[in-house]
Each structure stands twice: as structure tokens, then as C-alpha cells.
Amino acid sequence: MSNKNSVWVCLEQTGGKIAGVSYEMLSGARKLANELSGEVCAVLMGHQVQEQAKDAFAYGADKVYVCDNENLENYNTGAYCKVLEKLVKENEPEILLLAATTNGRDLAGRLASRLETGLAADCTALALEDGQLVATRPTYGGNIMAEVVFPEKCPAMCTIRGNALSKDDPDASKAGEVITVAYDVEDAELRTKVKEIIAKASGEISLADAQIIVSGGRGLGDPSGFDLIRKAAATLGAAVGASRAAVDAGWIPYEHQVGQTGKTVSPKLYIACGISGALQHLAGMKTSDVIVAINKDEEAPIFSVANYGIVGDLYKVLPVMIEEIQKVLESR
Ligand SMILES: Cc1cc2nc3c(=O)[nH]c(=O)nc-3n(C[C@H](O)[C@H](O)[C@H](O)COP(=O)(O)OP(=O)(O)OC[C@H]3O[C@@H](n4cnc5c(N)ncnc54)[C@H](O)[C@@H]3O)c2cc1C
């Protein structure tokens, strides 16, 4: 049955916890569906995940297709793809959104090939023009932003970057229809099985979830500069970010990189230390609520997006800031 004008979102869950990007996609899907006078449908695959459907309604879903099976507890390319392929073929949504995460990218590629449809990967914005989806995505290594249209959509498929679409406030009073989907993947079809997931024992706050980020760039001078950045982050309960220059120099792992070819972040507070503010860095953090920049060059482009700019040596400024923040915290 054709689900004309419906916008579908494949929710991503790990250990039963739905990833924040799923709620951002639902909020984005709601806006598109309102313009199309269509509905928002979410697909939730996992094990013992029915309860999470409520959250999907709160963020704008009208229907949630729940496929619950112990073989779906952890992401599995073959099983997830088969379930989603069947649902899409049966319901023919107009638009299908998946997260541009490791799992979402893996699933979207295989699914698009099975459905023989196009896929716009790593999108940062979605809009409608004359009722047609226009997806914006970085291309040529992030040097330009391309607008992608889907003339032969069936459906129009996109993966969406985390923190790229704004998340609406949830409305817990919203309810919708839960549709239980039968799991019909034979055990023999599962070529791989995840036996155990071992969480990284870093204790660091992840960039994606952080409300505050303290970032360091080439201006740190050497890798030990990140000790000061980590101290500032620990004081503020913040995550540690970095520019690509710092990552490329091997001072900090890639997972900390903010920017066009790193993570897109949108925290309440972003403190950029020794970062010049190249376009590719700004692309990943300029939607932060408050930006503080510390740079010894008063002409540095980072000051053009900063709400508060401190012209000075970060090695003199940051220790004073840490001390003052500690005093405020201790006085509470
Ligand atoms: C296709 C493409 C994709 C890219 N993707 C990304 C990306 O995802 N993220 C990203 O960050 N970049 C990205 N880049 C690289 C980007 O263009 C810049 O080269 C990079 O962001 C520069 O990093 P930086 O600001 O740390 O270094 P620099 O530009 O070298 O700036 C260092 C700054 O530190 C200041 N400074 C020096 N010493 C001190 C001190 N003691 N105290 C205070 N300030 C000091 C200097 O005044 C300077 O402004 C990309 C580039 C390309 C071409």
C-alpha cells in the first residue's frame, strides 16, 4: 500500500537507548510531513524496545513500526536491512531518513542498493521545493555544499548528520499508533552475530551529547597542550573537541575533530582555544548557543562568530579562567 507523502525515519538504538540524532530526524521529518500534508512514520528495530516508541511520538511520529526480536538487539546489517526493505516495499514512503552514524551509513548503503534508489549521504539540511525533497550535503571533501534532488525517488533516501537538524521540544502528551512487525529473518541468513559490546573505558564525555565543549587547535603548540584543554573540560563537565590541524598533527584522535569532515556539534557553550576559525571548522560548531574564542591574533576569523572574544595567549588566559570557574563552583 502506498504511503503517499509519508516521511519515514529509521530510529537508531544501542542497548535500548535511542540515539539523539533519531529525535533530530523525527523533528525534521515532522516539518517536511506538515508541508506535504503527510504523516511521520518511525521504524524501531531492537529487543524489548516497545517502550521507546512513546519517545518517538513525543518527537513527532504518527506511527511507529516496532520489530522486536532478540536477533535485532544489536545492529546487524543483514537482519536490519531485510526488515526495513520489506517495510519500505510494502508501504512505499516518499522519503526515508537514516542516521549518518557508522551503523546508519552501513544500513543505508545496502538498503538503497536493494531498493534500487538513490541515496544522499551525510546530509546537513533538508527542504522542500515544489513538494520535492532537496537535501544539502558536503561534497568534494567538504569544499562545497551540494543540493541533491531525487527525480526518480522510490523513496528519496538520506542519511542525516548528528546535530545538523534542530530537535524540537518533546511533547509527552502526544500518542500514536504502534504497529508490530513480524520478524522473518531465518537464523541461517544471519552471517554475523554480535556476541558482546564492550564500552570504551574512557570516561570522557562524548562530543555528540555534550552541553559544553572546550576545543583546542594548532595554537596549542604541541600535544601536551591538550592537558590544559582536558583540565578546563573537567572543571566545566565538558567534552574535549579539536580542530583538524590538531588531529592531523596526531595530538588527539579523530573522534574529537569538530568541523565539516569531523563532527557537527551544537552545544550550549563552545570554547575555542588556539583555533583560527577556518570555514571548515566553523561549519561544525557555528550553531553553538554561546561561543567563546581565545586567540592571540585579534584578526582571527573565529572572532567573527564568537559571542565573547579574548585576545591573548591561551596559556595565560585559560588557567585564569579555570581558577575563576573553580571559585564560582566552590562557592555554590
Ligand atoms: C576539505 C577540507 C575539510 C576540512 N575539515 C575540517 C574540519 O572538519 N575541522 C577543522 O577544524 N578543520 C578542517 N579543515 C582544515 C581547516 O581548513 C583549517 O586548516 C583548520 O581548521 C585549522 O586548524 P587550527 O585553527 O587549529 O589551526 P590554524 O589555522 O593554524 O590556527 C591556529 C590559531 O591559533 C592561534 N594561536 C597560536 N598560538 C596561540 C596561543 N598561544 N594562544 C592563543 N592563540 C594562539 C593563531 O593565532 C591561529 O589563529 C578542512 C580543510 C579542508 C580543505
Side-chain angles (χ1 to χ4, degrees):
M1 186 189 66
S2 172
N3 233 311
K4 190 138 178 50
N5 293 347
S6 68
V7 183
W8 280 43
V9 174
C10 179
L11 305 176
E12 179 154 325
Q13 62 83 23
T14 311
K17 187 174 180 291
I18 295 186
V21 61
S22 300
Y23 300 131
E24 292 157 16
M25 291 193 292
L26 283 172
S27 302
R30 183 72 266 163
K31 290 179 190 95
L32 296 175
N34 288 350
E35 267 190 70
L36 290 166
S37 305
E39 59 183 8
V40 175
C41 303
V43 180
L44 180 55
M45 293 177 272
H47 186 42
Q48 298 177 330
V49 288
Q50 278 98 339
E51 271 297 298
Q52 278 78 330
K54 284 187 200 144
D55 294 338
F57 296 132
Y59 282 97
D62 299 300
K63 289 179 186 163
V64 182
Y65 290 81
V66 180
C67 188
D68 201 299
N69 185 282
E70 59 183 33
N71 279 338
L72 297 173
E73 181 169 4
N74 296 313
Y75 173 70
N76 179 294
T77 312
Y80 273 54
C81 188
K82 190 163 179 202
V83 172
L84 198 51
E85 180 188 353
K86 182 169 172 266
L87 279 172
V88 170
K89 283 184 172 163
E90 280 172 7
N91 295 281
E92 297 175 16
E94 184 87 359
I95 296 168
L96 172 61
L97 310 179
L98 297 97
T101 53
T102 307
N103 293 350
R105 286 178 173 133
D106 177 61
L107 178 58
R110 179 180 282 222
L111 184 65
S113 144
R114 292 272 171 89
L115 297 172
E116 295 182 21
T117 189
L119 166 68
D122 234 10
C123 298
T124 55
L126 301 173
L128 290 168
E129 269 176 33
D130 301 324
Q132 304 298 311
L133 182 68
V134 180
T136 304
R137 63 178 299 273
T139 191
Y140 292 117
N143 283 313
I144 58 167
M145 301 302 282
E147 288 191 338
V148 182
V149 292
F150 305 82
E152 291 174 34
K153 55 189 183 296
C154 53
M157 270 183 75
C158 303
T159 56
I160 309 291
R161 271 187 156 213
N163 289 309
L165 306 182
S166 58
K167 183 169 70 176
D168 292 336
D169 291 333
D171 179 350
S173 68
K174 280 195 177 158
E177 189 185 350
V178 174
I179 299 159
T180 305
V181 179
Y183 175 80
D184 60 0
V185 184
E186 301 285 330
D187 261 17
E189 290 178 77
L190 296 175
R191 295 187 183 191
T192 56
K193 271 195 176 185
V194 176
K195 291 177 83 175
E196 190 186 358
I197 294 181
I198 300 163
K200 198 175 157 196
S202 76
E204 283 186 354
I205 299 168
S206 82
L207 276 181
D209 306 324
Q211 301 281 326
I212 306 176
I213 295 172
V214 186
S215 262
R218 191 164 13 220
L220 292 174
D222 62 57
S224 66
F226 275 100
D227 294 345
L228 184 59
I229 299 292
R230 285 202 181 86
K231 190 171 176 199
T235 309
L236 284 161
V240 172
S243 71
R244 178 160 157 181
V247 171
D248 285 352
W251 297 351
I252 187 158
Y254 168 73
E255 68 205 51
H256 293 272
Q257 185 178 315
V258 172
Q260 211 155 302
T261 43
K263 292 207 169 64
T264 307
V265 297
S266 203
K268 290 199 187 321
L269 174 62
Y270 188 89
I271 306 178
C273 309
I275 293 177
S276 59
L279 277 180
Q280 295 88 355
H281 188 81
L282 301 187
M285 46 63 75
K286 66 179 177 212
T287 57
S288 306
D289 289 355
V290 174
I291 298 170
V292 176
I294 309 170
N295 197 303
K296 64 182 185 187
D297 174 9
E298 65 179 41
E299 303 287 329
I302 190 79
F303 289 127
S304 66
V305 296
N307 303 83
Y308 301 95
I310 305 169
V311 179
D313 183 342
L314 71 93
Y315 286 102
K316 291 191 180 137
V317 176
L318 207 48
V320 177
M321 272 178 73
I322 294 171
E323 210 180 300
E324 291 302 316
I325 292 163
Q326 276 167 343
K327 275 189 209 158
V328 173
L329 293 175
E330 278 160 19
S331 69
R332 279 187 179 168

